[in-house]
């Protein structure tokens, strides 16, 4: 500041010397202002990000599903997590995601483009479904999603050599082709009856689309099942002219309870039978030559077998003449050394009231006269170039396998079967094999197939003209073939590996997969050398009796080793249970069989079918239901004449006449069951 002061006679002067004034430093105030401005900007920015995150969070939700970059979870109506899937083939770029209506889609992972969407579908008030698809745009990149299974008990998928109910997962397995296999010879593979469908106790189900090149793996440490789609290092092939770009697509559905969601899935996704097999198949046993005689069967032994059945006063649906009645595998003429007069034999059996079915298979061995014919006419599955037939090894030698995608091969095979029926009056056929493990790893067929298991489907179609009494052991999308399906051969042992204990879990699994006309293989097992409990060639006597009792409550019964190979007591027990099967079980099974045509619901049902919220019922693998009103509890342990029994809430009457009117489930501990008994309870 300047100050004006008096000057001389010449007027005034200005003094340029400043006068300072004491005050505070202003720099801290400026700093504070800057900080405040930064905070305001930060707050505004945070608010914008918050609003954006809310919008993104809303974007990545669809009904009860929450999506993130690494996977998604699904909740039930109560808010509990019932399903979790993790993405193993990439991380979604969430900025590439958008939502339109009930469709949530994304166009990129963190390093590549893709097509991904989740669509919400609500087919009914009690069911919420989510269609999921992850499609790669670059060839030979696998797609893998990992489902966490720890939230519930799971059922379905495929039969296996060691069968448990619910599914029991142990160890780690990299994803491998989910295709039909002969689990008697390849015990670590998936079985001959399979569908890409799983069901959980928390009312969640998943169905993989049939178009997916599907591989399944698991990890018991992570508690995950890996669902993978791929074409590289795989027997799956893209359609002709298509690039091998993998797509994993499936549907997850959530319902109110395990029974109702399964009913929905079966009605929506499974084929259903269009007719019921011959009623006599349900009422009277089948008698097979296999376990008793193996390949050492001839005309004299077959006639003697039939005579023994009649003399011991047993009924017979039909006789099953198994391997080996021809000279060479692939022939369709009787071996005249073993069967010197086949026509007279069939006439004799018919006059005695016996129908006869024949064992058949899809192979023609190289030493068969028909091998050259099939090569010339191009009837075999070929090697990948399509120029040469593919030789395959099966349990009875080496030969070609008929290409059932080829109309000419189907016609040739059908002609052979019709000729046998016309010439001898054969009633039907036991169609053996059909699994894809008997195809080469790389092969070609007349009609290209993407999924090797479609070969199984084509083979099962050959049984349609004979489905009144036909028998199949393999199936894929084959529920509408409308004939009996049987599990793979059982060993004559007690345990879970193809033994007596495996029977109920296997039948329940086949039922859940939509196959309801079930033939549970031969009573007592197949009596294979080194795979039979006991010190004799025959199965253990106690094992045979317990197996017989259980089979009496299955849709159909099958003998091979006859009860008179043991003693009179076993014969009397067999008479008792074949009569019980005919009088009590068969009428109820036939009633349910008629309903299967409309509903697809199981005939043989797990206990949770009528006890949907019961944690104990989810784990029981040694009891089952026939319909909703007949509960069966066989003895499956050697040396036992008692067992623990679980009764669901309700009004039950035991086979002994006891009544149980219970509002809560009841455990019957050490319930007495004599050797000639099987415990069963009827809903009153």
């Amino acid at each position: 500041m300047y100050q004006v002061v008096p000057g001389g006679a010449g007027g005034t002067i200005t003094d340029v010397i400043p006068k300072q004034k004491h005050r505070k430093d202003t720099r801290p105030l400026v700093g504070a202002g800057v900080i405040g401005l930064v905070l305001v900007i930060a707050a505004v920015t945070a608010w914008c990000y918050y609003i954006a995150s809310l919008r993104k969070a809303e974007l990545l939700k669809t009904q009860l599903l929450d999506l993130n970059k690494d996977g998604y979870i699904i909740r039930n109506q109560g808010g509990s997590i019932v399903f979790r899937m993790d993405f193993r083939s990439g991380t979604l770029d969430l900025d590439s995601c958008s939502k339109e209506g009930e469709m949530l889609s994304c166009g990129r992972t963190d390093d590549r483009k893709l097509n991904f969407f989740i669509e919400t579908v609500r087919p009914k008030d009690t069911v919420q479904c989510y269609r999921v698809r992850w499609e790669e745009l670059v060839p030979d990149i696998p797609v893998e999603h990992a489902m966490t299974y720890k939230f519930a008990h799971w059922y379905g998928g495929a039969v296996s050599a060691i069968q448990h109910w619910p599914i029991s997962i142990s160890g780690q397995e990299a994803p491998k082709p989910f295709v039909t296999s002969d689990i008697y010879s390849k015990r670590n593979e998936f079985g001959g009856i399979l569908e890409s469908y799983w069901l959980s106790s928390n009312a969640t189900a998943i169905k993989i689309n049939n178009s997916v090149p599907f591989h399944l793996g698991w990890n018991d440490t992570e508690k995950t099942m890996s669902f993978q789609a791929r074409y590289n290092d795989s027997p799956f092939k893209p359609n002709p002219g298509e690039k091998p770009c993998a797509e994993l697509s499936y549907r997850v559905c959530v319902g109110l309870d395990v029974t109702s969601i399964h009913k929905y899935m079966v009605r929506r996704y499974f084929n259903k039978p269009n007719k019921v097999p011959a009623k006599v198949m349900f009422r009277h046993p089948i008698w097979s030559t296999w376990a008793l005689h193996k390949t050492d069967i001839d005309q004299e032994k077959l006639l003697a077998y039939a005579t023994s059945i009649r003399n011991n006063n047993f009924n017979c649906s039909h006789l099953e003449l198994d391997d080996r009645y021809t000279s060479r595998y692939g022939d369709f003429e009787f071996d005249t050394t073993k069967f010197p007069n086949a026509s007279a034999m069939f006439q004799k059996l018919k006059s005695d009231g016996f129908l006869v079915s024949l064992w058949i298979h899809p192979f023609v061995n190289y030493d068969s006269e028909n091998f050259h014919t099939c090569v010339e006419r191009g009837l075999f599955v070929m090697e990948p170039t399509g120029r040469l037939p593919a030789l395959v090894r099966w349990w009875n030698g080496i030969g070609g396998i008929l290409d059932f995608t080829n109309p000419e091969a189907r016609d040739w095979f059908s002609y052979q079967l019709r000729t046998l029926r016309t010439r001898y009056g054969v009633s039907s056929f036991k169609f053996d094999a059909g699994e894809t493990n008997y195809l080469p790893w790389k092969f070609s067929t007349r009609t290209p197939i993407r999924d090797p298991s479609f070969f199984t489907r084509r083979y099962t179609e050959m049984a349609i003209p004979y489905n009144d009494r036909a028998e199949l052991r393999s199936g894929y999308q084959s529920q509408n073939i409308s004939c009996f399906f049987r599990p793979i051969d059982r060993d004559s042992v007690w345990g879970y590996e193809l033994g007596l204990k495996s029977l109920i879990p296997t039948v329940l699994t086949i039922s859940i997969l939509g196959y309801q006309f079930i033939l549970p293989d031969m009573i007592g097992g197949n009596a294979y050398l080194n795979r039979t409990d006991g010190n004799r060639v025959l199965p253990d006597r106690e094992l045979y009796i317990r197996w017989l009792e259980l089979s009496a409550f299955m849709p159909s019964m099958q003998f091979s080793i006859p009860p008179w190979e043991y003693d009179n007591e076993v014969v009397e027990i067999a008479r008792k249970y074949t009569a019980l099967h005919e009088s009590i079980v068969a009428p109820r099974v036939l009633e349910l069989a008629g309903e299967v045509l409309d509903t697809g619901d199981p005939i043989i049902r797990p206990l949770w079918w009528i006890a949907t919220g019961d944690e104990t019922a989810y784990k029981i693998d040694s009891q089952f239901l026939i319909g909703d009103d007949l509960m069966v509890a066989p003895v499956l342990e050697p040396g036992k004449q008692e067992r623990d029994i679980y009764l669901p809430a309700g009004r039950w009457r035991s086979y002994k006449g006891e009544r149980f009117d219970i509002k809560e489930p009841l455990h019957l501990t050490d319930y007495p069951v004599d050797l000639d008994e099987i415990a069963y309870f009827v809903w009153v």
Side-chain angles (χ1 to χ4, degrees):
M1 168 177 273
Y2 294 94
Q3 182 180 14
V4 180
V5 297
T12 62
I13 60 169
T14 302
D15 188 352
V16 294
I17 301 174
K19 181 178 181 181
Q20 293 184 351
K21 182 177 180 181
H22 296 288
R23 62 184 178 82
K24 295 181 179 179
D25 190 349
T26 60
R27 284 177 295 181
L29 294 176
V30 173
V34 171
I35 292 172
L37 180 60
V38 169
L39 290 173
V40 170
I41 294 172
V44 172
T45 303
W47 177 255
C48 292
Y49 273 112
Y50 174 67
I51 295 299
S53 67
L54 287 179
R55 291 173 179 170
K56 180 64 70 175
E58 184 63 29
L59 166 68
L60 299 179
K61 285 180 178 287
T62 173
Q63 297 294 333
L64 299 173
L65 182 147
D66 296 346
L67 175 69
N68 61 60
K69 62 185 178 63
D70 297 314
Y72 62 89
I73 60 172
I74 299 174
R75 303 177 189 275
N76 60 18
Q77 295 291 344
S80 300
I81 296 175
V82 294
F83 190 84
R84 173 178 171 175
M85 189 75 86
D86 295 324
F87 303 144
R88 295 289 173 83
S89 47
T91 300
L92 288 179
D93 178 0
L94 298 183
D95 290 332
S96 72
C97 300
S98 60
K99 186 177 181 183
E100 183 174 345
E102 298 298 334
M103 177 82 76
L104 198 164
S105 58
C106 305
R108 289 189 57 84
T109 66
D110 54 2
D111 63 356
R112 64 187 183 276
K113 292 183 178 180
L114 84 161
N115 289 330
F116 172 84
F117 75 75
I118 298 178
E119 181 184 17
T120 303
V121 181
R122 194 172 183 88
K124 53 192 298 188
D125 290 342
T126 57
V127 177
Q128 184 83 48
C129 293
Y130 304 90
R131 292 178 55 221
V132 182
R133 186 179 75 183
W134 180 303
E135 180 186 3
E136 290 290 347
L137 304 179
V138 178
D140 295 325
I141 296 179
V143 182
E144 184 175 332
H145 294 180
M147 182 190 78
T148 299
Y149 61 78
K150 66 182 179 181
F151 297 116
H153 305 289
W154 286 86
Y155 316 90
V159 295
S160 58
I162 302 175
Q163 195 84 52
H164 291 285
W165 180 273
I167 294 170
S168 177
I169 293 177
S170 61
Q172 291 82 42
E173 181 74 44
K176 59 185 180 180
F178 191 70
V179 295
T180 59
S181 295
D182 175 353
I183 52 173
Y184 196 85
S185 59
K186 295 182 175 293
R187 300 206 172 194
N188 293 322
E189 300 302 319
F190 305 112
I193 299 175
L194 90 175
E195 303 291 335
S196 53
Y197 167 74
W198 288 266
L199 171 73
S200 82
S201 58
N202 61 13
T204 306
I206 181 168
K207 176 69 177 71
I208 310 296
N209 288 354
N210 294 332
S211 60
V212 172
F214 183 53
H215 298 66
L216 179 67
W218 54 86
N219 187 313
D220 67 347
T221 302
E222 298 178 351
K223 307 298 182 188
T224 57
M225 294 171 61
S226 297
F227 300 152
Q228 187 189 75
R230 75 169 193 261
Y231 289 112
N232 58 314
D233 188 29
S234 170
F236 289 89
K237 294 176 284 191
N239 286 327
E242 290 184 357
K243 294 181 179 180
C245 295
E247 174 191 311
L248 181 61
S249 53
Y250 53 89
R251 185 171 297 217
V252 181
C253 294
V254 182
L256 295 180
D257 59 69
V258 60
T259 301
S260 63
I261 193 62
H262 178 67
K263 287 183 175 183
Y264 168 77
M265 298 297 284
V266 167
R267 286 156 176 74
R268 177 68 177 82
Y269 295 110
F270 285 175
N271 294 321
K272 296 174 187 62
N274 51 45
K275 60 176 287 191
V276 177
K279 291 181 179 179
V280 69
M281 287 275 288
F282 296 90
R283 291 173 176 153
H284 297 160
I286 300 164
W287 296 80
S288 169
T289 63
W290 175 246
L292 181 62
H293 293 296
K294 304 296 190 296
T295 59
D296 188 27
I297 184 66
D298 57 32
Q299 181 169 324
E300 182 180 350
K301 289 175 180 175
L302 181 62
L303 290 172
Y305 191 44
T307 300
S308 295
I309 294 169
R310 187 182 57 204
N311 289 346
N312 282 281
N313 298 316
F314 283 94
N315 288 320
C316 176
S317 165
H318 61 263
L319 281 174
E320 193 171 80
L321 176 54
D322 213 297
D323 184 10
R324 164 180 190 177
Y325 56 89
T326 61
S327 299
R328 298 175 180 86
Y329 295 105
D331 294 351
F332 291 89
E333 297 286 346
F334 277 84
D335 180 345
T336 55
T337 301
K338 299 174 73 174
F339 296 86
N341 195 336
S343 295
M345 179 188 73
F346 275 91
Q347 289 173 4
K348 168 64 173 171
L349 291 169
K350 183 178 180 180
S351 67
D352 289 343
F354 290 97
L355 298 177
V356 181
S357 68
L358 295 181
W359 175 77
I360 206 73
H361 55 82
F363 308 102
V364 179
N365 279 10
Y366 67 86
D367 59 351
S368 167
E369 291 182 3
N370 287 322
F371 185 82
H372 180 69
T373 299
C374 293
V375 170
E376 269 195 339
R377 296 178 59 180
L379 305 185
F380 288 138
V381 172
M382 308 295 278
E383 46 79 45
T385 68
R387 293 194 296 266
L388 295 172
L391 291 181
V392 299
R393 182 182 295 277
W394 62 299
W395 68 90
N396 277 327
I398 297 174
I401 183 168
L402 291 167
D403 177 5
F404 294 103
T405 75
N406 180 350
E408 291 182 45
R410 294 165 68 91
D411 290 346
W412 182 83
F413 188 70
S414 294
Y415 172 77
Q416 307 302 327
L417 303 190
R418 287 198 306 272
T419 300
L420 286 168
R421 170 175 268 188
T422 302
R423 183 176 299 169
Y424 301 110
V426 172
S427 65
S428 191
F429 298 92
K430 172 185 177 178
F431 291 81
D432 215 351
E435 299 92 348
T436 64
N437 68 286
Y438 291 111
L439 296 171
W441 180 253
K442 297 293 183 181
F443 63 91
S444 63
T445 50
R446 177 67 62 87
T447 302
I449 55 177
R450 298 179 58 174
D451 182 347
S453 292
F454 193 68
F455 177 86
T456 299
R457 163 69 198 190
R458 282 288 184 236
Y459 177 56
T460 63
E461 291 170 356
M462 304 308 297
I464 291 176
Y466 311 99
N467 57 11
D468 259 5
R469 296 171 183 267
E471 171 189 330
L472 285 160
R473 83 170 197 191
S474 57
Y476 175 66
Q477 302 176 34
S478 304
Q479 297 91 342
N480 59 350
I481 301 301
S482 307
C483 70
F484 273 89
F485 287 81
R486 72 171 176 92
I488 196 71
D489 300 15
R490 303 288 109 173
D491 288 326
S492 300
V493 298
W494 289 90
Y496 283 103
E497 183 172 349
L498 297 180
L500 178 60
K501 284 186 180 179
S502 73
L503 206 56
I504 295 174
T506 299
V507 170
L508 290 174
T509 298
I510 294 173
S511 296
I512 288 297
L513 299 180
Y515 298 86
Q516 309 308 343
F517 308 138
I518 301 172
L519 178 64
D521 204 39
M522 300 169 198
I523 291 167
N526 285 262
Y528 290 132
L529 187 64
N530 300 324
R531 295 187 183 275
T532 300
D533 285 348
N535 298 320
R536 304 174 59 196
V537 175
L538 294 175
D540 175 75
R541 181 179 184 272
E542 182 187 6
L543 173 70
Y544 183 89
I545 292 170
R546 292 305 191 190
W547 207 306
L548 165 63
E549 293 162 353
L550 171 56
S551 293
F553 286 85
M554 290 292 165
S556 186
M557 299 180 71
Q558 185 177 40
F559 286 99
S560 182
I561 294 173
W564 51 87
E565 287 290 311
Y566 293 92
D567 51 51
N568 288 335
E569 183 185 11
V570 176
V571 172
E572 289 304 317
I573 293 172
R575 289 191 184 121
K576 170 184 174 180
Y577 282 100
T578 53
L580 183 147
H581 177 84
E582 183 176 358
S583 62
I584 295 178
V585 178
R588 183 66 179 119
V589 167
L590 280 166
E591 181 182 356
L592 294 165
E595 297 174 6
V596 167
L597 308 186
D598 296 322
T599 67
D601 289 346
I603 293 173
I604 304 298
R605 301 173 181 176
L607 260 61
W608 52 249
W609 193 266
I610 61 171
T612 55
D614 191 333
E615 177 65 23
T616 302
Y618 294 144
K619 297 180 288 186
I620 290 179
D621 68 351
S622 63
Q623 299 175 220
F624 61 92
L625 295 163
I626 300 175
D628 290 348
D629 48 17
L630 178 56
M631 194 273 289
V632 186
V635 173
L636 304 176
E637 297 279 354
K640 296 286 187 180
Q641 296 200 23
E642 68 282 324
R643 64 155 294 165
D644 294 344
I645 295 175
Y646 182 79
L647 275 181
R651 300 175 64 192
W652 299 95
R653 184 181 69 247
S654 79
Y655 69 106
K656 299 177 181 180
E658 306 152 310
R659 289 182 174 268
F660 300 90
D661 190 352
I662 49 176
K663 296 181 180 180
E664 298 290 335
L666 178 65
H667 289 269
L668 302 176
T669 305
D670 293 331
Y671 187 82
V673 186
D674 290 342
L675 181 59
D676 64 342
E677 294 181 330
I678 180 172
Y680 63 94
F681 299 77
V682 178
W683 184 275
V684 180

